[in-house]
Amino acid sequence: MLVVSVAPSVQAAPMVGEWPLDAEHLRAEQVWKESQGSGVTIAVVDSGCDGKHPDLAGQLVPGAGFIGVPGDNGGADVSGDSHGTSIAAVIAGTGRNPAADGVVGLAPKAKVQPVRISTGDRIEPVALAKGIIYAADHGARVINISVVTPEPDPNLRAAVDHAVQKGAVVVAAAGNTSQTGTAVGYPASFPGVVAVSAVDVDKRFWRGSASGPRVALAAPGVGIRSANDHGGYLRSDGTSLAVPYVAAAAALVWS
């Protein structure tokens, strides 16, 4: 196994409040001695990512947008709740903010490809399908989908099949019960997708997670500290925040 030293530009220890990275959970300090995700691109198919955040500066590669904005490369977050930015920072934050305790992602040497398919809670399956296809065709080894739709749209199913056939790892949120009931949503329910639910700091199943036999893995998703889209930080719950930990872990292994 190739051993990669911790780069000086990346904080070697988990930042304040990032419990998923500690020695009781994902053991980031130990893992980073082996891999930090170098050479792997992870697509964040979401609301775009704020590439100007201090912890994401230099971490984005050109992406695309599918909400009808000419020239959209996904490099800004238009969600209103920093959704895409928070996902990206969990994956590849560097902790380099000189003005505050930054956020370090689980795969801080991976690159994020922002693919904008929404501006908020409303998800159009056709736009999501186009985003997945774009990511699979433009170098993404891992595709992070922290959004959920309730219906098995055939365009979305075809996009997932395309990505899997291209060799990408597709990781998606099982969904939150407040939004989707108890059933696991889509694309998480499609064959070939790694469906993710959430656990809390005590490793207990988060009751807000959708559940069922289609769920493959659970990851930290409660009280998750991450970046917002105006240079600061937020704390969130949900299967959306659990997905990037699994996506980042896939990148570490692949790297």
Side-chain angles (χ1 to χ4, degrees):
M1 179 179 292
L2 177 65
V3 177
V4 182
S5 62
V6 178
S9 61
V10 176
Q11 298 288 345
M15 297 293 96
V16 175
E18 288 188 83
W19 67 263
L21 303 185
D22 69 22
E24 296 298 318
H25 298 92
L26 298 177
R27 295 178 286 184
E29 288 184 276
Q30 179 180 347
V31 169
W32 289 337
K33 295 175 183 178
E34 306 293 340
S35 174
Q36 294 182 32
S38 180
V40 179
T41 296
I42 303 175
V44 174
V45 183
D46 211 284
S47 61
C49 305
D50 178 16
K52 295 181 180 179
H53 193 287
D55 294 331
L56 288 173
Q59 295 298 86
L60 305 187
V61 299
F66 296 93
I67 58 171
V69 178
D72 188 2
N73 68 358
D77 192 335
V78 296
S79 63
D81 62 359
S82 305
H83 199 268
T85 300
S86 64
I87 302 304
V90 168
I91 292 171
T94 63
R96 290 198 295 247
N97 190 347
D101 289 322
V103 167
V104 181
L106 181 58
K109 282 193 175 180
K111 295 297 183 182
V112 170
Q113 179 188 74
V115 181
R116 192 192 327 276
I117 51 82
S118 75
T119 59
D121 292 338
R122 183 176 177 80
I123 307 299
E124 294 292 343
V126 172
L128 178 53
K130 290 179 179 179
I132 294 169
I133 291 170
Y134 175 90
D137 289 347
H138 289 81
R141 305 292 295 274
V142 184
I143 301 177
N144 185 114
I145 306 171
S146 289
V147 298
V148 178
T149 64
E151 300 296 332
D153 183 89
N155 295 295
L156 189 53
R157 172 67 183 271
V160 167
D161 290 345
H162 175 78
V164 172
Q165 290 167 6
K166 294 280 285 191
V169 175
V170 182
V171 189
N176 301 339
T177 57
S178 60
Q179 298 174 356
T180 62
T182 57
V184 176
Y186 295 90
S189 282
F190 288 134
V193 178
V194 181
V196 181
S197 64
V199 294
D200 64 19
V201 68
D202 295 317
K203 305 174 187 176
R204 295 176 302 196
F205 181 76
W206 180 54
R207 63 181 182 180
S209 295
S211 60
R214 293 190 181 276
V215 174
L217 296 171
V222 181
I224 305 303
R225 184 173 184 267
S226 193
N228 65 26
D229 61 7
H230 48 276
Y233 300 93
L234 51 74
R235 197 173 293 276
S236 300
D237 302 338
T239 58
S240 290
L241 277 299
V243 174
Y245 285 112
V246 176
L252 295 177
V253 174
W254 215 322
S255 179

CSV table of all heavy atoms in Angstrom, one decimal, residues 1-7 29-38 109 252 255:
chain,number,residue,atom,x,y,z
A,1,MET,N,0.8,-1.2,0.0
A,1,MET,CA,0.0,0.0,0.0
A,1,MET,C,0.9,1.2,0.0
A,1,MET,O,1.8,1.3,0.7
A,1,MET,CB,-0.9,0.0,1.2
A,1,MET,CG,-1.8,1.2,1.3
A,1,MET,SD,-2.9,1.2,2.8
A,1,MET,CE,-4.0,-0.1,2.3
A,2,LEU,N,0.6,2.2,-0.9
A,2,LEU,CA,1.3,3.4,-0.9
A,2,LEU,C,1.0,4.3,0.3
A,2,LEU,O,-0.2,4.5,0.6
A,2,LEU,CB,1.0,4.2,-2.2
A,2,LEU,CG,1.6,5.6,-2.4
A,2,LEU,CD1,3.1,5.4,-2.5
A,2,LEU,CD2,1.0,6.3,-3.6
A,3,VAL,N,2.0,4.8,1.0
A,3,VAL,CA,1.8,5.6,2.2
A,3,VAL,C,2.0,7.1,1.7
A,3,VAL,O,3.1,7.4,1.2
A,3,VAL,CB,2.8,5.3,3.3
A,3,VAL,CG1,2.6,6.2,4.5
A,3,VAL,CG2,2.5,3.8,3.8
A,4,VAL,N,1.1,7.9,1.9
A,4,VAL,CA,1.1,9.3,1.5
A,4,VAL,C,1.3,10.2,2.8
A,4,VAL,O,0.4,10.1,3.7
A,4,VAL,CB,-0.1,9.7,0.7
A,4,VAL,CG1,0.0,11.2,0.3
A,4,VAL,CG2,-0.3,8.8,-0.4
A,5,SER,N,2.3,11.0,2.8
A,5,SER,CA,2.4,11.9,4.0
A,5,SER,C,1.4,13.0,4.0
A,5,SER,O,0.9,13.4,2.9
A,5,SER,CB,3.8,12.5,4.0
A,5,SER,OG,4.0,13.3,2.8
A,6,VAL,N,1.1,13.6,5.1
A,6,VAL,CA,0.1,14.6,5.2
A,6,VAL,C,0.7,15.9,4.7
A,6,VAL,O,1.8,16.3,5.1
A,6,VAL,CB,-0.3,14.8,6.7
A,6,VAL,CG1,-1.3,16.0,6.8
A,6,VAL,CG2,-0.9,13.6,7.2
A,7,ALA,N,0.0,16.5,3.7
A,7,ALA,CA,0.5,17.7,3.1
A,7,ALA,C,0.5,18.9,4.1
A,7,ALA,O,-0.5,19.0,4.9
A,7,ALA,CB,-0.3,18.1,1.9
A,29,GLU,N,-7.1,10.8,11.4
A,29,GLU,CA,-5.7,11.0,11.5
A,29,GLU,C,-4.9,9.7,11.1
A,29,GLU,O,-3.9,9.8,10.5
A,29,GLU,CB,-5.3,11.4,12.9
A,29,GLU,CG,-5.7,12.8,13.3
A,29,GLU,CD,-5.2,13.2,14.7
A,29,GLU,OE1,-5.9,12.8,15.7
A,29,GLU,OE2,-4.1,13.8,14.8
A,30,GLN,N,-5.5,8.6,11.5
A,30,GLN,CA,-4.9,7.3,11.1
A,30,GLN,C,-5.0,7.1,9.6
A,30,GLN,O,-4.1,6.6,8.9
A,30,GLN,CB,-5.5,6.2,11.9
A,30,GLN,CG,-5.0,4.8,11.6
A,30,GLN,CD,-5.6,3.7,12.4
A,30,GLN,OE1,-6.3,4.0,13.3
A,30,GLN,NE2,-5.4,2.5,11.9
A,31,VAL,N,-6.2,7.3,9.1
A,31,VAL,CA,-6.5,7.1,7.7
A,31,VAL,C,-5.6,7.9,6.8
A,31,VAL,O,-5.1,7.5,5.7
A,31,VAL,CB,-8.0,7.3,7.4
A,31,VAL,CG1,-8.3,7.3,5.9
A,31,VAL,CG2,-8.8,6.3,8.1
A,32,TRP,N,-5.4,9.2,7.1
A,32,TRP,CA,-4.7,10.1,6.3
A,32,TRP,C,-3.2,9.7,6.1
A,32,TRP,O,-2.6,10.2,5.2
A,32,TRP,CB,-4.8,11.5,6.8
A,32,TRP,CG,-6.2,12.1,6.7
A,32,TRP,CD1,-7.1,11.8,5.8
A,32,TRP,CD2,-6.7,13.2,7.5
A,32,TRP,NE1,-8.2,12.6,6.0
A,32,TRP,CE2,-8.0,13.4,7.0
A,32,TRP,CE3,-6.2,14.0,8.5
A,32,TRP,CZ2,-8.9,14.4,7.5
A,32,TRP,CZ3,-7.1,15.0,9.0
A,32,TRP,CH2,-8.4,15.2,8.6
A,33,LYS,N,-2.7,8.9,7.0
A,33,LYS,CA,-1.3,8.4,6.8
A,33,LYS,C,-1.2,7.5,5.6
A,33,LYS,O,-0.1,7.3,5.0
A,33,LYS,CB,-0.8,7.7,8.1
A,33,LYS,CG,-0.7,8.6,9.3
A,33,LYS,CD,-0.4,7.9,10.5
A,33,LYS,CE,-0.3,8.8,11.7
A,33,LYS,NZ,0.0,8.0,13.0
A,34,GLU,N,-2.4,6.9,5.2
A,34,GLU,CA,-2.4,6.0,4.1
A,34,GLU,C,-2.9,6.7,2.8
A,34,GLU,O,-2.4,6.4,1.7
A,34,GLU,CB,-3.3,4.8,4.4
A,34,GLU,CG,-3.0,4.1,5.7
A,34,GLU,CD,-1.6,3.4,5.6
A,34,GLU,OE1,-1.2,3.1,4.5
A,34,GLU,OE2,-1.0,3.1,6.7
A,35,SER,N,-4.0,7.5,2.9
A,35,SER,CA,-4.6,8.1,1.8
A,35,SER,C,-5.4,9.3,2.2
A,35,SER,O,-6.0,9.4,3.2
A,35,SER,CB,-5.5,7.1,1.1
A,35,SER,OG,-6.2,7.7,0.0
A,36,GLN,N,-5.3,10.3,1.3
A,36,GLN,CA,-6.1,11.5,1.4
A,36,GLN,C,-7.0,11.8,0.2
A,36,GLN,O,-7.6,12.9,0.1
A,36,GLN,CB,-5.2,12.7,1.7
A,36,GLN,CG,-4.5,12.7,3.0
A,36,GLN,CD,-3.6,13.9,3.3
A,36,GLN,OE1,-4.0,15.0,2.9
A,36,GLN,NE2,-2.5,13.7,4.0
A,37,GLY,N,-7.1,10.8,-0.7
A,37,GLY,CA,-8.0,11.0,-1.8
A,37,GLY,C,-7.3,11.6,-3.1
A,37,GLY,O,-8.0,11.9,-4.0
A,38,SER,N,-6.0,11.7,-3.1
A,38,SER,CA,-5.3,12.3,-4.2
A,38,SER,C,-5.6,11.6,-5.5
A,38,SER,O,-5.6,10.4,-5.6
A,38,SER,CB,-3.8,12.3,-3.9
A,38,SER,OG,-3.1,12.9,-5.0
A,109,LYS,N,-7.5,15.7,-0.2
A,109,LYS,CA,-6.8,15.9,-1.4
A,109,LYS,C,-7.6,15.5,-2.6
A,109,LYS,O,-7.0,15.5,-3.8
A,109,LYS,CB,-5.5,15.1,-1.3
A,109,LYS,CG,-4.4,15.8,-0.5
A,109,LYS,CD,-3.0,15.1,-0.8
A,109,LYS,CE,-1.9,15.9,0.0
A,109,LYS,NZ,-0.6,15.3,-0.3
A,252,LEU,N,-10.9,7.7,-0.8
A,252,LEU,CA,-9.7,7.3,-0.1
A,252,LEU,C,-9.2,5.9,-0.6
A,252,LEU,O,-8.0,5.6,-0.8
A,252,LEU,CB,-9.9,7.3,1.4
A,252,LEU,CG,-10.2,8.6,2.1
A,252,LEU,CD1,-10.5,8.4,3.5
A,252,LEU,CD2,-9.1,9.6,1.9
A,255,SER,N,-8.0,6.0,-4.2
A,255,SER,CA,-6.7,6.7,-4.4
A,255,SER,C,-5.6,5.8,-3.9
A,255,SER,O,-4.5,5.7,-4.6
A,255,SER,CB,-6.7,7.9,-3.5
A,255,SER,OG,-5.5,8.6,-3.5
